[in-house]
Amino acid sequence: MQFDRRRFMSTLIAAPILASPAAALLSGVARAAETGALLTRPLRDVELPIIGIGTARRYADPADAAALTPLRDTIRRFAEMGGQVIDTAPSYGRAEDVVGQLVEELGVRDRLFLATKVGANTREEGAAQIEDSFRKLRTDRIDLIAVHNLRDVDNQLAILRDLRAEGRIGALGITTSFSPQYEDFEAVMRREQLDCIQIDYALDNRGAAERILPLAQEQGIAVMINLPFGRDRLFDATADLPLPDWAREIGATSWAQVFLKYTVSHPARPIAIPGMAQVRYVEDNLGAAQGVLPDAAMRQRMEQFIDAL
Ligand SMILES: NC(=O)c1ccc[n+]([C@@H]2O[C@H](COP(=O)([O-])OP(=O)(O)OC[C@H]3O[C@@H](n4cnc5c(N)ncnc54)[C@H](OP(=O)(O)O)[C@@H]3O)[C@@H](O)[C@H]2O)c1
């Protein structure tokens, strides 16, 4: 997605109070200004809807052309509803290729924010892998590239800084989804100038909130959340349970919306990227980017609920 100042300003006008922590403090909740508007968060010079698509696993290995149909429908519906962020990686099988093909077929490249990763051991390997990502994603600009799980982080960030200076990528960052990496992750956040971090965080997996998310908030680094459901973990934990009454107070009509609204209401103001390969997931999960978000008291209540299961 190229930076479009007019579109950016109109988003700011339409959506700003929505996700502002100050507004949340004043009202107890953040409220969407217009029905259907997606809450947004800044990432460097763009405002992005707070729910994106993760493509690990379900986009990795479509067996044949028929297997592409639900994925195409998913991306089509996502773009129609105003979704923008799609997260992928060279290590997710054929996912970059699949996303590139479907986005091109649908003609929606300019409406999307494409994020991928680099996971390589040397500068040469990293540079070659990134060129492959441009080719597979069928784009001359990638909106964000992050160093996957801190692999060869110093060399890879050096490449990404050059690409950002050339305007070939819009933003750079680092990712992890393993708590044993958190200490090193934090050290990189302190010594580098990052646009974005991506980390695992969920209602029942709150380690990132101890130091990493507060540090991101302090340093003004944008945050993406991977594993917002812990894959099946949260759904399994709540499988036989009706939605609690308090779900209505945050406008959640499904467990998925409860879990997503929890992650994106952290004060670091993250964007969550749940894995989505079905239209019904898009419609459900983008519901979490609308209406009200939990305030601090509600977040505590949600934590107590899940901890008691
Ligand atoms: N280190 C890293 O950089 C790293 C690590 C892990 C993940 N990631 C990124 O984060 C993304 C998210 O992680 P993830 O996909 O592994 O796990 P996740 O988002 O926690 O869970 C995704 C799974 O939840 C189910 N789901 C999604 N929406 C649902 C809904 N509305 N109702 C019921 N079930 C729903 C789907 O299961 P079914 O498809 O089985 O129905 C989906 O595969 C990845 O796709 C990837 O882009 C990055």
Side-chain angles (χ1 to χ4, degrees):
M1 192 173 81
Q2 295 281 0
F3 179 55
D4 175 339
R5 188 171 171 76
R6 207 169 48 173
R7 172 174 154 161
F8 177 56
M9 294 310 291
S10 69
T11 315
L12 278 184
I13 293 160
I17 307 178
L18 318 185
S20 118
L25 277 179
L26 285 176
S27 65
V29 293
R31 192 173 287 279
E34 44 179 287
T35 313
L38 301 180
L39 302 169
T40 64
R41 302 280 159 83
L43 194 162
R44 202 169 155 88
D45 51 8
V46 287
E47 281 279 322
L48 297 171
I50 62 177
I51 303 293
I53 294 181
T55 61
R57 299 173 305 125
R58 302 285 177 234
Y59 291 69
D61 187 26
D64 50 25
L68 287 175
T69 302
L71 304 178
R72 185 183 297 105
D73 291 346
T74 298
I75 294 178
R76 181 191 289 118
R77 186 70 183 122
F78 179 70
E80 264 170 20
M81 290 182 72
Q84 292 184 34
V85 177
I86 299 185
D87 177 76
T88 187
S91 59
Y92 299 167
R94 290 180 46 226
E96 282 187 323
D97 246 334
V98 168
V99 168
Q101 178 188 332
L102 298 179
V103 166
E104 186 178 76
E105 280 174 19
L106 292 165
V108 292
R109 172 66 190 98
D110 290 346
R111 288 156 66 177
L112 297 176
F113 181 98
L114 294 184
T116 192
K117 311 190 184 79
V118 57
N121 294 325
T122 63
R123 258 183 183 258
E124 295 67 33
E125 211 183 288
Q129 190 184 77
I130 289 167
E131 291 311 316
D132 263 359
S133 294
F134 279 104
R135 190 174 50 74
K136 289 177 178 166
L137 288 168
R138 306 188 191 191
T139 186
D140 55 10
R141 184 180 146 101
I142 295 176
D143 297 300
L144 165 69
I145 300 186
V147 181
H148 207 161
N149 296 335
L150 299 183
R151 189 156 153 200
D152 191 34
V153 65
D154 294 333
N155 279 329
Q156 304 309 320
L157 280 176
I159 301 175
L160 296 178
R161 270 194 299 272
D162 288 348
L163 288 169
R164 192 183 58 189
E166 292 163 18
R168 293 187 71 205
I169 68 171
L172 58 80
I174 55 176
T175 80
T176 187
S177 56
F178 309 104
S179 56
Q181 281 198 324
Y182 285 5
E183 210 176 306
D184 291 344
F185 199 81
E186 188 182 330
V188 178
M189 287 173 72
R190 290 188 186 281
R191 72 171 185 261
E192 298 284 350
Q193 292 211 321
L194 303 172
D195 301 315
C196 184
I197 59 163
Q198 186 190 124
I199 192 159
D200 56 311
Y201 177 58
L203 181 54
D204 65 344
N205 169 30
R206 305 194 291 269
E210 286 168 21
R211 297 173 62 93
I212 307 250
L213 296 182
L215 181 60
Q217 193 180 354
E218 186 188 309
Q219 296 191 326
I221 304 174
V223 177
M224 279 191 199
I225 300 298
N226 59 44
L227 301 171
F229 303 133
R231 304 227 162 100
D232 298 329
R233 205 179 54 235
L234 280 166
F235 294 115
D236 288 347
T238 52
D240 301 323
L241 300 177
L243 274 186
D245 284 345
W246 48 255
R248 235 179 299 132
E249 292 176 43
I250 54 168
T253 57
S254 67
W255 280 113
Q257 291 180 9
V258 167
F259 305 143
L260 290 174
K261 282 186 179 241
Y262 176 81
T263 61
V264 296
S265 61
H266 186 280
R269 307 181 70 210
I271 292 167
I273 47 163
M276 290 192 252
Q278 297 188 37
V279 168
R280 70 186 171 100
Y281 287 167
V282 170
E283 292 175 344
D284 189 8
N285 296 347
L286 287 186
Q290 297 175 33
V292 297
L293 294 181
D295 62 9
M298 177 61 82
R299 284 173 54 79
Q300 207 175 6
R301 192 168 171 185
M302 296 167 87
E303 291 166 6
Q304 285 165 355
F305 175 87
I306 210 79
D307 290 349
L309 292 182

